[in-house]
Amino acid sequence: RRQVPTVWDLGLMVFNAVSFSLATIALMWDQYEGGFGLISLLTGVFYAGVGLAVLKRKGAPRRVAHYSLIIALVFGTLSVPLQLDGFWITIAWAIEAAVLTSVGFLLQSERARMFALGVFVLAIGRLLVLDSFAQSISEFELFRGDRIPAFAVTIVAIYLAAFLYRRNAALASAWERDLGHGLIVSANVLTLWILTAEVFSFYEHRAQESAFSQPQEAAKNAQLSAITTMWATYAIGLVAIAYARSAPALRWLAIGLST
Protein backbone atom coordinates (compact mmCIF):
# COMPACT_ATOMS: atom_id res chain seq x y z
CA ARG A 1 0.00 0.00 0.00
CA ARG A 2 1.41 3.38 -1.05
CA GLN A 3 1.66 5.94 1.72
CA VAL A 4 1.32 9.69 1.31
CA PRO A 5 4.70 11.28 2.15
CA THR A 6 4.69 13.39 5.29
CA VAL A 7 6.50 16.66 5.87
CA TRP A 8 9.25 14.67 7.59
CA ASP A 9 9.67 12.43 4.55
CA LEU A 10 9.95 15.37 2.21
CA GLY A 11 12.28 17.14 4.61
CA LEU A 12 14.47 14.03 4.65
CA MET A 13 14.69 14.20 0.85
CA VAL A 14 15.98 17.76 1.04
CA PHE A 15 18.30 16.89 3.95
CA ASN A 16 19.82 14.00 2.00
CA ALA A 17 20.46 16.20 -1.04
CA VAL A 18 22.07 18.97 1.05
CA SER A 19 24.10 16.47 3.10
CA PHE A 20 25.40 14.78 -0.04
CA SER A 21 26.39 18.12 -1.53
CA LEU A 22 28.20 19.31 1.62
CA ALA A 23 29.94 15.96 2.14
CA THR A 24 31.13 15.92 -1.47
CA ILE A 25 32.50 19.45 -1.14
CA ALA A 26 34.30 18.60 2.12
CA LEU A 27 35.90 15.44 0.70
CA MET A 28 36.65 16.38 -2.89
CA TRP A 29 36.90 20.15 -3.23
CA ASP A 30 40.70 20.40 -3.06
CA GLN A 31 41.24 17.82 -5.81
CA TYR A 32 38.23 18.37 -8.06
CA GLU A 33 37.31 22.04 -7.60
CA GLY A 34 37.13 22.59 -11.36
CA GLY A 35 34.69 19.73 -11.83
CA PHE A 36 32.13 20.61 -9.18
CA GLY A 37 29.87 22.29 -11.70
CA LEU A 38 29.59 18.98 -13.56
CA ILE A 39 29.07 17.10 -10.28
CA SER A 40 26.26 19.48 -9.32
CA LEU A 41 24.71 19.17 -12.78
CA LEU A 42 24.82 15.35 -12.68
CA THR A 43 23.21 15.41 -9.23
CA GLY A 44 20.47 17.57 -10.68
CA VAL A 45 20.04 15.12 -13.57
CA PHE A 46 19.72 12.26 -11.06
CA TYR A 47 16.95 14.00 -9.11
CA ALA A 48 15.24 15.02 -12.36
CA GLY A 49 15.26 11.35 -13.36
CA VAL A 50 13.73 10.40 -10.03
CA GLY A 51 11.04 13.03 -10.42
CA LEU A 52 10.15 11.99 -13.96
CA ALA A 53 10.07 8.31 -12.97
CA VAL A 54 7.64 9.11 -10.15
CA LEU A 55 5.45 11.13 -12.52
CA LYS A 56 5.24 8.21 -14.93
CA ARG A 57 4.41 5.72 -12.19
CA LYS A 58 0.68 5.39 -11.82
CA GLY A 59 -0.61 6.26 -8.37
CA ALA A 60 2.77 7.52 -7.10
CA PRO A 61 2.65 10.61 -4.83
CA ARG A 62 3.03 13.74 -6.92
CA ARG A 63 4.66 15.66 -4.09
CA VAL A 64 7.69 13.38 -4.25
CA ALA A 65 8.04 14.16 -7.96
CA HIS A 66 7.65 17.89 -7.37
CA TYR A 67 10.26 17.96 -4.59
CA SER A 68 12.65 15.87 -6.70
CA LEU A 69 12.30 18.25 -9.65
CA ILE A 70 12.77 21.30 -7.41
CA ILE A 71 15.96 19.79 -5.99
CA ALA A 72 17.10 19.06 -9.56
CA LEU A 73 16.50 22.70 -10.54
CA VAL A 74 18.45 23.95 -7.53
CA PHE A 75 21.46 21.77 -8.34
CA GLY A 76 21.25 22.73 -12.00
CA THR A 77 21.21 26.43 -11.11
CA LEU A 78 24.13 26.05 -8.70
CA SER A 79 26.16 24.24 -11.35
CA VAL A 80 26.33 27.43 -13.44
CA PRO A 81 28.54 29.56 -11.12
CA LEU A 82 30.51 26.45 -10.12
CA GLN A 83 31.44 25.58 -13.70
CA LEU A 84 31.39 28.94 -15.49
CA ASP A 85 32.77 32.36 -14.63
CA GLY A 86 32.29 36.00 -15.46
CA PHE A 87 29.50 37.07 -17.76
CA TRP A 88 28.77 33.48 -18.82
CA ILE A 89 27.10 32.90 -15.44
CA THR A 90 24.57 35.64 -16.13
CA ILE A 91 23.97 34.43 -19.68
CA ALA A 92 23.40 30.84 -18.54
CA TRP A 93 21.01 31.91 -15.77
CA ALA A 94 19.01 34.09 -18.16
CA ILE A 95 18.64 31.26 -20.68
CA GLU A 96 17.72 28.84 -17.90
CA ALA A 97 15.03 31.21 -16.61
CA ALA A 98 13.48 31.62 -20.07
CA VAL A 99 13.49 27.85 -20.66
CA LEU A 100 11.96 27.20 -17.23
CA THR A 101 9.20 29.73 -17.95
CA SER A 102 8.39 27.89 -21.17
CA VAL A 103 8.48 24.51 -19.43
CA GLY A 104 6.31 25.90 -16.63
CA PHE A 105 3.55 26.76 -19.08
CA LEU A 106 4.04 23.59 -21.12
CA LEU A 107 3.63 21.40 -18.02
CA GLN A 108 1.21 23.84 -16.37
CA SER A 109 3.55 24.00 -13.38
CA GLU A 110 3.27 27.14 -11.27
CA ARG A 111 6.30 26.05 -9.22
CA ALA A 112 8.50 25.91 -12.32
CA ARG A 113 7.43 29.42 -13.29
CA MET A 114 8.11 30.67 -9.74
CA PHE A 115 11.56 29.11 -9.84
CA ALA A 116 12.16 30.75 -13.23
CA LEU A 117 11.35 34.14 -11.71
CA GLY A 118 13.86 33.43 -8.95
CA VAL A 119 16.55 32.65 -11.54
CA PHE A 120 15.67 35.88 -13.36
CA VAL A 121 16.23 37.75 -10.08
CA LEU A 122 19.67 36.11 -9.78
CA ALA A 123 20.58 37.06 -13.35
CA ILE A 124 19.36 40.65 -13.01
CA GLY A 125 21.04 41.05 -9.63
CA ARG A 126 24.35 39.85 -11.05
CA LEU A 127 24.00 42.20 -14.02
CA LEU A 128 23.43 45.24 -11.84
CA VAL A 129 25.86 44.46 -9.03
CA LEU A 130 28.78 42.76 -10.81
CA ASP A 131 28.62 42.78 -14.60
CA SER A 132 27.86 46.50 -14.92
CA PHE A 133 31.15 47.43 -13.25
CA ALA A 134 33.39 44.62 -14.44
CA GLN A 135 34.83 46.54 -17.39
CA SER A 136 37.86 48.77 -16.95
CA ILE A 137 37.44 52.36 -18.12
CA SER A 138 40.96 52.39 -19.58
CA GLU A 139 40.11 49.41 -21.84
CA PHE A 140 36.58 50.52 -22.69
CA GLU A 141 35.19 50.18 -26.24
CA LEU A 142 31.69 51.45 -26.95
CA PHE A 143 29.19 48.56 -27.24
CA ARG A 144 32.02 46.05 -27.61
CA GLY A 145 32.60 45.00 -24.01
CA ASP A 146 31.84 41.61 -22.50
CA ARG A 147 28.90 43.02 -20.54
CA ILE A 148 26.97 43.77 -23.75
CA PRO A 149 26.19 40.09 -24.59
CA ALA A 150 25.23 39.45 -20.95
CA PHE A 151 22.75 42.34 -20.96
CA ALA A 152 21.48 41.51 -24.45
CA VAL A 153 20.78 37.84 -23.68
CA THR A 154 19.11 38.69 -20.37
CA ILE A 155 16.91 41.37 -21.93
CA VAL A 156 15.85 39.04 -24.77
CA ALA A 157 15.15 36.26 -22.24
CA ILE A 158 12.94 38.61 -20.20
CA TYR A 159 11.03 39.70 -23.29
CA LEU A 160 10.54 36.04 -24.22
CA ALA A 161 9.17 35.30 -20.74
CA ALA A 162 6.84 38.31 -21.01
CA PHE A 163 5.60 37.02 -24.36
CA LEU A 164 4.95 33.59 -22.84
CA TYR A 165 2.98 35.12 -19.97
CA ARG A 166 0.88 37.11 -22.43
CA ARG A 167 0.33 34.15 -24.75
CA ASN A 168 -0.60 31.80 -21.91
CA ALA A 169 -2.58 34.23 -19.78
CA ALA A 170 -5.37 31.70 -19.37
CA LEU A 171 -2.96 29.26 -17.69
CA ALA A 172 -1.45 31.80 -15.31
CA SER A 173 -2.47 32.08 -11.67
CA ALA A 174 -4.15 35.21 -10.32
CA TRP A 175 -0.90 36.62 -8.93
CA GLU A 176 0.81 36.11 -12.31
CA ARG A 177 -1.65 38.14 -14.38
CA ASP A 178 0.43 41.34 -14.33
CA LEU A 179 3.83 39.67 -14.45
CA GLY A 180 4.07 40.15 -18.21
CA HIS A 181 3.89 43.93 -17.76
CA GLY A 182 6.40 43.78 -14.93
CA LEU A 183 8.83 41.80 -17.07
CA ILE A 184 8.53 44.28 -19.93
CA VAL A 185 9.26 47.15 -17.55
CA SER A 186 12.26 45.22 -16.18
CA ALA A 187 13.60 44.66 -19.70
CA ASN A 188 13.29 48.37 -20.48
CA VAL A 189 14.98 49.35 -17.22
CA LEU A 190 17.89 47.02 -18.04
CA THR A 191 18.09 48.44 -21.57
CA LEU A 192 18.22 51.97 -20.24
CA TRP A 193 20.74 50.92 -17.58
CA ILE A 194 23.22 49.47 -20.07
CA LEU A 195 22.80 52.37 -22.51
CA THR A 196 23.47 54.83 -19.68
CA ALA A 197 26.45 52.79 -18.50
CA GLU A 198 27.91 52.73 -22.03
CA VAL A 199 27.50 56.49 -22.50
CA PHE A 200 28.91 57.16 -19.03
CA SER A 201 31.92 54.90 -19.63
CA PHE A 202 32.50 56.39 -23.08
CA TYR A 203 32.86 59.90 -21.70
CA GLU A 204 34.91 58.71 -18.73
CA HIS A 205 37.28 56.94 -21.14
CA ARG A 206 37.53 60.01 -23.34
CA ALA A 207 38.15 62.19 -20.29
CA GLN A 208 41.08 59.96 -19.30
CA GLU A 209 42.59 60.21 -22.78
CA SER A 210 42.20 64.00 -22.96
CA ALA A 211 42.84 64.83 -19.31
CA PHE A 212 45.39 67.50 -20.18
CA SER A 213 43.77 68.92 -23.33
CA GLN A 214 40.15 69.35 -22.23
CA PRO A 215 38.79 70.88 -19.00
CA GLN A 216 37.20 68.27 -16.75
CA GLU A 217 34.12 70.41 -16.22
CA ALA A 218 33.45 70.53 -19.96
CA ALA A 219 33.79 66.74 -20.20
CA LYS A 220 31.31 66.24 -17.35
CA ASN A 221 28.85 68.65 -18.96
CA ALA A 222 29.09 66.78 -22.26
CA GLN A 223 28.54 63.50 -20.44
CA LEU A 224 25.46 64.79 -18.59
CA SER A 225 24.05 66.32 -21.78
CA ALA A 226 24.43 63.05 -23.70
CA ILE A 227 22.76 61.01 -20.95
CA THR A 228 19.89 63.51 -20.59
CA THR A 229 19.30 63.52 -24.36
CA MET A 230 19.32 59.73 -24.47
CA TRP A 231 16.84 59.46 -21.59
CA ALA A 232 14.51 62.01 -23.23
CA THR A 233 14.66 60.17 -26.57
CA TYR A 234 14.01 56.84 -24.86
CA ALA A 235 11.06 58.34 -22.94
CA ILE A 236 9.51 59.63 -26.17
CA GLY A 237 9.86 56.18 -27.73
CA LEU A 238 8.26 54.59 -24.66
CA VAL A 239 5.31 56.96 -24.80
CA ALA A 240 4.72 56.14 -28.44
CA ILE A 241 4.88 52.40 -27.81
CA ALA A 242 2.76 52.68 -24.64
CA TYR A 243 -0.10 54.40 -26.45
CA ALA A 244 0.16 52.13 -29.49
CA ARG A 245 0.10 48.98 -27.33
CA SER A 246 -2.13 50.33 -24.53
CA ALA A 247 0.58 49.65 -21.94
CA PRO A 248 0.10 51.93 -18.90
CA ALA A 249 3.19 50.50 -17.17
CA LEU A 250 5.40 51.83 -19.97
CA ARG A 251 3.67 55.22 -19.79
CA TRP A 252 4.54 55.48 -16.10
CA LEU A 253 8.12 54.47 -16.84
CA ALA A 254 8.32 57.18 -19.52
CA ILE A 255 6.92 59.75 -17.08
CA GLY A 256 9.54 58.70 -14.55
CA LEU A 257 12.31 59.22 -17.10
CA SER A 258 11.07 62.65 -18.14
CA THR A 259 10.75 64.07 -14.61
Side-chain angles (χ1 to χ4, degrees):
R1 186 174 62 88
R2 293 190 178 95
Q3 295 182 347
V4 177
T6 65
V7 174
W8 293 104
D9 296 325
L10 299 172
L12 184 60
M13 282 182 60
V14 176
F15 176 79
N16 286 337
V18 173
S19 299
F20 169 79
S21 180
L22 294 177
T24 305
I25 291 174
L27 295 173
M28 303 173 62
W29 181 265
D30 292 337
Q31 290 181 300
Y32 302 101
E33 178 181 351
F36 261 82
L38 180 59
I39 293 173
S40 180
L41 180 61
L42 291 175
T43 305
V45 170
F46 168 77
Y47 276 98
V50 172
L52 292 175
V54 173
L55 285 175
K56 290 183 178 180
R57 191 173 181 183
K58 188 175 181 180
R62 296 291 179 178
R63 293 184 70 184
V64 173
H66 293 160
Y67 269 73
S68 297
L69 292 174
I70 290 172
I71 293 171
L73 289 174
V74 170
F75 275 104
T77 303
L78 290 176
S79 70
V80 173
L82 288 173
Q83 194 67 32
L84 303 178
D85 55 18
F87 301 99
W88 287 107
I89 297 175
T90 308
I91 291 172
W93 275 345
I95 294 173
E96 178 190 358
V99 171
L100 280 176
T101 303
S102 178
V103 171
F105 281 114
L106 184 64
L107 300 179
Q108 299 185 25
S109 172
E110 182 180 349
R111 289 186 178 89
R113 298 194 297 271
M114 290 176 63
F115 196 91
L117 291 174
V119 178
F120 269 129
V121 170
L122 289 176
I124 293 171
R126 198 175 196 286
L127 275 180
L128 300 181
V129 176
L130 297 177
D131 296 345
S132 295
F133 310 100
Q135 192 168 3
S136 171
I137 294 296
S138 60
E139 300 175 356
F140 175 78
E141 293 182 88
L142 188 64
F143 296 120
R144 296 182 63 183
D146 292 335
R147 68 186 177 186
I148 296 299
F151 269 88
V153 172
T154 304
I155 290 168
V156 170
I158 293 173
Y159 273 122
L160 177 59
F163 168 76
L164 291 171
Y165 270 100
R166 181 174 181 177
R167 185 179 182 181
N168 299 281
L171 300 177
S173 302
W175 66 272
E176 296 178 291
R177 296 293 163 80
D178 294 325
L179 273 179
H181 299 298
L183 288 168
I184 290 175
V185 170
S186 299
N188 277 278
V189 169
L190 287 179
T191 302
L192 191 62
W193 180 285
I194 186 58
L195 290 175
T196 304
E198 288 292 300
V199 172
F200 180 86
S201 298
F202 172 76
Y203 280 96
E204 288 293 311
H205 177 70
R206 196 166 75 171
Q208 284 187 0
E209 291 183 335
S210 58
F212 300 102
S213 59
Q214 183 180 10
Q216 292 298 304
E217 184 177 353
K220 290 293 183 183
N221 289 337
Q223 181 187 68
L224 181 60
S225 176
I227 292 175
T228 303
T229 302
M230 183 191 67
W231 280 29
T233 304
Y234 199 93
I236 293 172
L238 280 180
V239 170
I241 295 173
Y243 278 101
R245 306 289 294 182
S246 299
L250 292 182
R251 287 202 297 270
W252 284 111
L253 180 59
I255 292 172
L257 285 176
S258 57
T259 55

